[in-house]
Amino acid sequence: MLVSGRRRLLTALLQAQKWPFQPSRDMRLVQFRAPHLVGPHLGLETGNGGGVINLNAFDPTLPKTMTQFLEQGEATLSVARRALAAQLPVLPWSEVTFLAPVTWPDKVVCVGMNYVDHCKEQNVPVPKEPIIFSKFASSIVGPYDEVVLPPQSQEVDWEVELAVVIGKKDPHNLKICCRVNGEVVQSSNTNQMVFKTEDLIAWVSQFVTFYPGDVILTGTPPGVGVFRKPPVFLKKGDEVQCEIEELGVIINKVV
């Protein structure tokens, strides 16, 4: 998932999760389109990156959006497990277009200054409470879509972030990195998070109600362009790759 906004580019890998059901890390839920299909479909990306299992073809009664899938909980997830075990034919990558894992969430909650090493980079104290702000769902694009530079801004930055969709084990010991044009610009570990995912959910839940499909962007590690000397920002033609251990990589071209 990539969210672009004022003076920053927030890039995050989305791990679908919802209590109490527990999708395994081998089960990568995706939304996709294909030329021979009408509208978006739900699928499972195979572990070796070989293609996508069409969940809606396996069970036509399944919803076709991730939000509806999450709302139905264990009932829909059990169908996905059966599809994964059935060793069904897959659609090759060349025949599908990946959409954002969740489109039009009710909320996109963001967390600032949530990596210890990012705070050190700026020479500021680690916050005692989460710093919360939000982004608009309309700015979300897919994991391999182009990113359009806003003509009003000359300071669009890169930021790799872990995103969670409201459960699962706390993903707090994963390598996280960002590359711009092949050069590593951010490299850290989610164990550097000041506030872990369950703490963030508990904190934000004091003020708002979370719904299935809501997204929390958990903050970015050090290495963003604005704090380089001199500052460096994205330009037309740049390629941003964001990677999180065990989850995968997304690639977005800047246009």
Side-chain angles (χ1 to χ4, degrees), residues 9-80:
L9 185 67
L10 298 179
T11 305
L13 288 165
L14 180 65
Q15 182 178 10
Q17 41 187 327
K18 171 150 168 61
W19 288 310
F21 62 84
Q22 301 286 325
S24 72
R25 285 183 178 172
D26 293 331
M27 183 183 294
R28 295 171 182 254
L29 297 166
V30 298
Q31 290 188 132
F32 70 96
R33 292 181 182 271
H36 64 287
L37 300 174
V38 178
H41 279 59
L42 288 179
L44 291 174
E45 185 182 8
T46 57
N48 58 7
V52 173
I53 297 171
N54 186 348
L55 285 177
N56 296 115
F58 176 73
D59 186 343
T61 66
L62 283 177
K64 291 188 176 181
T65 70
M66 192 68 72
T67 299
Q68 293 173 328
F69 182 95
L70 295 174
E71 286 174 343
Q72 295 185 29
E74 179 59 32
T76 48
L77 194 68
S78 62
V79 175

Side-chain angles (χ1 to χ4, degrees), residues 98-115:
F98 287 97
L99 308 177
V102 174
T103 46
W104 297 103
D106 185 73
K107 288 176 286 299
V108 180
V109 178
C110 307
V111 185
M113 307 296 295
N114 199 34
Y115 275 72

Side-chain angles (χ1 to χ4, degrees), residues 163-177:
V164 296
V165 180
I166 303 298
K168 203 169 177 169
K169 297 180 181 178
D170 308 323
H172 295 139
N173 191 27
L174 303 175
K175 295 177 183 177
I176 180 171
C177 75

Side-chain angles (χ1 to χ4, degrees), residues 23-231:
S24 72
R25 285 183 178 172
D26 293 331
M27 183 183 294
R28 295 171 182 254
L29 297 166
V30 298
Q31 290 188 132
F32 70 96
R33 292 181 182 271
H36 64 287
L37 300 174
V38 178
H41 279 59
L42 288 179
L44 291 174
E45 185 182 8
T46 57
N48 58 7
V52 173
I53 297 171
N54 186 348
L55 285 177
N56 296 115
F58 176 73
D59 186 343
T61 66
L62 283 177
K64 291 188 176 181
T65 70
M66 192 68 72
T67 299
Q68 293 173 328
F69 182 95
L70 295 174
E71 286 174 343
Q72 295 185 29
E74 179 59 32
T76 48
L77 194 68
S78 62
V79 175
R81 289 196 194 98
R82 293 200 306 271
L84 189 65
Q87 297 184 336
L88 300 170
V90 299
L91 298 171
W93 267 38
S94 59
E95 294 183 10
V96 302
T97 299
F98 287 97
L99 308 177
V102 174
T103 46
W104 297 103
D106 185 73
K107 288 176 286 299
V108 180
V109 178
C110 307
V111 185
M113 307 296 295
N114 199 34
Y115 275 72
V116 173
D117 44 5
H118 187 38
C119 294
K120 290 179 180 177
E121 174 186 47
Q122 301 175 62
N123 196 29
V124 296
V126 173
K128 298 185 184 319
E129 296 178 341
I131 300 173
I132 303 297
F133 60 102
S134 63
K135 288 291 179 179
F136 295 108
S138 59
S139 61
I140 295 173
V141 300
Y144 305 107
D145 289 350
E146 293 179 336
V147 178
V148 180
L149 288 176
Q152 296 83 4
S153 177
Q154 303 302 314
E155 298 182 351
V156 178
D157 211 339
W158 57 80
E159 291 190 356
V160 58
E161 302 193 31
L162 174 71
V164 296
V165 180
I166 303 298
K168 203 169 177 169
K169 297 180 181 178
D170 308 323
H172 295 139
N173 191 27
L174 303 175
K175 295 177 183 177
I176 180 171
C177 75
C178 176
R179 294 180 290 271
V180 176
N181 301 325
E183 177 187 354
V184 176
V185 291
Q186 292 182 276
S187 180
S188 186
N189 193 292
T190 56
N191 62 20
Q192 291 291 302
M193 283 185 185
V194 180
F195 303 102
K196 309 307 184 187
T197 53
E198 64 270 26
D199 301 321
L200 295 172
I201 292 169
W203 174 263
V204 177
S205 294
Q206 298 177 83
F207 314 105
V208 299
T209 300
F210 278 119
Y211 295 101
D214 283 351
V215 179
I216 302 177
L217 301 178
T218 58
T220 195
V224 295
V226 70
F227 296 119
R228 292 172 179 258
K229 300 185 185 302

